[in-house]
Amino acid sequence: MEIQNKENIELKFLSMNDYDELKKAMQLSYKTIADSYWEEHQIRFLIEKFQEGQVVIKIDGEIAGCALSIIVKYDEFTHHHTYKEITGNYTFDTHTNDGDILYGIDVFVKPKFRGIRLGRRLYDYRKELCEKLNLKGIAFGGRIPNYHKYENELLPKEYIEKVKRKEIHDPVLNFQISNDFHPSKILKGYLEGDTESGEFAVLLEWDNIYYEKPSKKMSANKKIVRLGLIQWQMRPYKNLEELLQQAEYFIDTVSGYRSDFALFPEFFNAPLMAENNHLPESEAIRELAKHTHNIVQKFSEFAMSYNINIISGSMPEIKDGHLYNVGYLCRRDGTIDRYEKIHVTPDEVKVWGMQGGNSIKTFDTDCGKIGILICYDSEFPELSRLLAEEGMDILFVPFLTDTQNGYSRVRHCSQARAIENECYVAIAGSVGNLPNVHNMDMQFAQSMVFTPCDFAFPTNGIKAEATPNTEMVLIADVDIDLLTELHEFGSVKNLKDRRTDIFEVKRTI
């Protein structure tokens, strides 16, 4: 299934108001299993005892998937336990807040919503919850629903080995292994009535590498944000579909590394102007602007499908008859925000007749507050200072520069923005050349992630850097809590120490 015309994707705590819909969803998802749904009193018990462990994904208000969990003292159960034993004869009284393992009771995605990676969102939530609660790990008995096709020729252990080697396709087990769960044991007689699996299950486990023994002093949970920067190579494309195919490849790649953001460069869609190279430059870019709406809609679908926030770089757009350089933040929950290039370059004005925008703002995301400035805007420190005053943690700068000196302006100014505003700055640009597109014939770029310069950060203020002029992705983790500590305890305090008694930066509109 592709996500189309979907307004919103939400991961929410399960409530009793959802029960009737939950029951129907389970019946649809477990058609081959008798008594395939939990009774109302069982769901109420789970919610009252451990609400954080019971979540649903809703698409446009409809339940699309669900994950139910309890916490258990794992050493009280043998590695050969049954589902009935681990759930306390389905009463869930085995749950205890003093346990050390998050145990997966149930997880499903309704058939019509399968294929859009909702299951991965549920598993990712469980991992985050496990880390938050400082548990040793996650465990559950994984069904092997295709085993009945091979039970006369293969033992369960042999079947699992063939699945791991990709010789047999088992959609459930393949998915769990791809999400970093490792098979530990074969559980015989695990789930009564599961004839597809021969009542066998695989004990699957995931270890929390951040676990600390309770005897140690607990440290504050860190907010780690993973950035995926796309250093895009300009190359000819036959049509929009081919360009979007390449874009999806990169989105899939950075999403595969569990990145929270994918950043595209400025004017990454410029190759599509080649088909209008016979027109004057000012007309060719207006033809290019006709693709912007479709690209934004597709990027929003990608953001939801790949569970990643996408910053679309920038594209030309015509609004009220005027040509602007704009981009879009496509969040993974389905919402979209627009940003504008405030300062267009002299070349953009002279060749294309482009106008500067008037809107500057920060954006709230599930990873904190961010700002976005397009290329030349990074060279005006007032803009980023206004964003910093609104609480910006990460500044994203999509850029396009044809020469190394142009790139150096963007690079050094962006690095200065990280120091003076005590924030992270990520820049991403294009490489290669477009000999058949006027005014876009060559590019120079080296994508980077900059940090403030203090003891908690790299001494040179560079968290990560790409290879110059090479198509690639750059993945980097940034710790938002380090910024909070810097604001209070840094060697210098660029934000706090400003002499607002003698100068200030303020908006005029």
Side-chain angles (χ1 to χ4, degrees):
M1 173 185 176
E2 293 185 1
I3 298 182
Q4 295 178 345
N5 302 318
K6 298 300 179 187
E7 295 295 330
N8 193 259
I9 296 180
E10 297 178 292
L11 192 148
K12 305 180 67 175
F13 290 141
L14 178 66
S15 77
M16 289 309 300
N17 293 332
D18 296 319
Y19 179 74
D20 289 338
E21 186 181 358
L22 177 72
K23 178 180 176 180
K24 293 177 182 177
M26 294 190 72
Q27 289 172 324
L28 285 172
S29 301
Y30 298 127
K31 291 182 178 179
T32 61
I33 299 179
D35 300 322
S36 59
Y37 60 89
W38 295 107
E39 298 289 349
E40 188 170 354
H41 72 275
Q42 294 170 312
I43 295 298
R44 180 176 285 107
F45 183 93
L46 286 173
I47 292 174
E48 291 177 353
K49 293 295 183 180
F50 184 34
Q51 185 178 37
E52 282 186 294
Q54 327 311 325
V55 293
V56 291
I57 287 181
K58 292 188 176 183
I59 297 182
D60 293 342
E62 178 183 351
I63 290 179
C66 176
L68 308 176
S69 310
I70 58 175
I71 300 173
V72 298
K73 291 183 178 179
Y74 205 42
D75 58 3
E76 293 182 358
F77 300 91
T78 68
H79 271 334
H80 298 284
H81 60 265
T82 66
Y83 190 66
K84 188 175 183 179
E85 290 170 344
I86 202 75
T87 60
N89 196 21
Y90 314 118
T91 65
F92 307 122
D93 61 8
T94 49
H95 169 78
T96 171
N97 292 330
D98 297 327
D100 55 4
I101 290 292
L102 185 69
Y103 200 96
I105 294 301
D106 205 341
V107 62
F108 70 86
V109 174
K110 283 172 66 174
K112 76 173 186 176
F113 291 111
R114 290 171 185 170
I116 54 174
R117 303 172 184 83
L118 298 183
R120 187 165 72 178
R121 293 192 188 211
L122 295 170
Y123 278 103
D124 285 348
Y125 172 80
R126 279 182 174 172
K127 293 174 184 178
E128 292 168 5
L129 180 62
C130 181
E131 293 172 359
K132 175 185 174 183
L133 298 178
N134 191 43
L135 301 175
K136 288 182 179 179
I138 303 172
F140 59 88
R143 298 176 63 238
I144 44 177
N146 276 357
Y147 178 63
H148 67 279
K149 300 176 183 178
Y150 304 90
E151 60 183 341
N152 293 328
E153 53 187 283
L154 296 174
L155 296 173
K157 181 179 179 181
E158 296 171 331
Y159 174 82
I160 292 168
E161 287 302 314
K162 285 184 175 290
V163 171
K164 291 169 65 176
R165 294 196 300 266
K166 309 296 183 183
E167 295 174 13
I168 293 176
H169 177 66
D170 186 298
V172 177
L173 186 56
N174 280 134
F175 174 78
Q176 291 157 347
I177 293 174
S178 69
N179 278 274
D180 303 320
F181 287 87
H182 56 88
S184 175
K185 295 282 184 180
I186 303 294
L187 301 174
K188 185 177 181 179
Y190 182 72
L191 180 61
E192 295 177 0
D194 185 9
T195 56
E196 286 184 323
S197 305
E199 294 193 353
F200 288 103
V202 183
L203 181 62
L204 290 148
E205 298 176 330
W206 177 82
D207 300 321
N208 176 16
I209 63 173
Y210 300 110
Y211 172 75
E212 293 183 0
K213 292 182 179 179
S215 59
K216 292 185 178 180
K217 182 180 179 181
M218 297 300 297
S219 59
N221 291 315
K222 299 295 184 181
K223 293 177 288 186
I224 306 298
V225 180
R226 181 160 293 177
L227 310 181
L229 281 55
I230 298 164
Q231 191 156 285
W232 174 272
Q233 174 146 0
M234 295 294 198
R235 56 165 63 89
Y237 294 98
K238 295 178 182 178
N239 49 42
L240 175 60
E241 288 70 27
E242 193 171 89
L243 181 138
L244 287 171
Q245 184 180 36
Q246 183 70 7
E248 183 178 11
Y249 161 76
F250 281 115
I251 292 168
D252 185 19
T253 299
V254 296
S255 172
Y257 288 105
R258 296 180 66 187
S259 297
D260 297 293
F261 290 95
L263 173 62
F264 280 83
E266 180 183 25
F267 286 136
F268 76 96
N269 64 336
L272 297 178
M273 280 199 291
E275 63 183 3
N276 294 303
N277 218 27
H278 60 287
L279 299 174
E281 289 95 329
S282 60
E283 294 183 24
I285 198 163
R286 282 164 173 78
E287 290 297 315
L288 180 64
K290 294 178 180 179
H291 294 299
T292 296
H293 175 75
N294 291 334
I295 293 175
V296 173
Q297 294 304 308
K298 199 64 181 177
F299 270 30
S300 182
E301 293 176 20
F302 290 155
M304 292 187 285
S305 179
Y306 287 96
N307 191 26
I308 190 169
N309 300 300
I310 300 175
I311 298 167
S312 71
S314 81
M315 296 166 279
E317 184 176 77
I318 297 175
K319 184 179 180 181
D320 298 327
H322 299 298
L323 182 67
Y324 296 93
N325 186 347
V326 307
Y328 286 83
L329 167 62
C330 300
R331 298 182 184 86
R332 50 186 157 200
D333 66 1
T335 58
I336 300 174
D337 261 313
R338 180 179 181 273
Y339 53 90
E340 302 174 339
K341 188 173 186 178
I342 307 300
H343 300 89
V344 293
T345 63
D347 189 66
E348 287 174 299
V349 176
K350 178 181 177 181
V351 178
W352 292 329
M354 192 165 278
Q355 296 194 24
N358 298 307
S359 175
I360 175 172
K361 59 181 179 179
T362 54
F363 303 97
D364 291 317
T365 73
D366 56 6
C367 299
K369 198 177 290 288
I370 68 167
I372 307 169
L373 296 177
I374 302 173
C375 198
Y376 194 27
D377 282 337
S378 67
E379 300 173 31
F380 296 84
E382 299 88 352
L383 295 181
S384 56
R385 177 52 50 85
L386 289 171
L387 299 176
E389 289 178 344
E390 294 181 8
M392 171 186 67
D393 295 315
I394 307 173
L395 174 63
F396 292 94
V397 180
F399 71 90
L400 175 69
T401 50
D402 55 353
T403 62
Q404 191 166 0
N405 57 323
Y407 163 73
S408 294
R409 288 194 295 268
V410 173
R411 172 191 169 155
H412 293 304
C413 288
S414 295
Q415 187 164 19
R417 305 295 84 87
I419 295 171
E420 66 199 16
N421 295 305
E422 298 178 348
C423 67
Y424 297 107
V425 180
I427 67 173
S430 295
V431 301
N433 58 78
L434 289 173
N436 294 321
V437 177
H438 295 315
N439 202 44
M440 297 287 293
D441 40 11
M442 58 187 294
Q443 289 79 37
F444 182 96
Q446 183 180 18
S447 302
M448 289 192 171
V449 177
F450 300 113
T451 72
C453 293
D454 214 318
F455 295 116
F457 305 94
T459 55
N460 63 354
I462 300 175
K463 174 69 175 180
E465 55 187 330
T467 304
N469 278 356
T470 301
E471 183 176 47
M472 62 177 292
V473 297
L474 181 66
I475 309 292
D477 288 345
V478 295
D479 188 336
I480 303 302
D481 280 349
L482 289 181
L483 299 179
T484 304
E485 296 173 10
L486 179 68
H487 299 333
E488 298 296 328
F489 308 113
S491 301
V492 295
K493 303 178 181 67
N494 294 86
L495 289 176
K496 280 193 169 185
D497 291 344
R498 286 174 296 142
R499 290 287 306 276
T500 54
D501 57 325
I502 60 174
F503 72 90
E504 63 178 340
V505 178
K506 62 181 182 180
R507 297 173 182 267
T508 57
I509 59 172

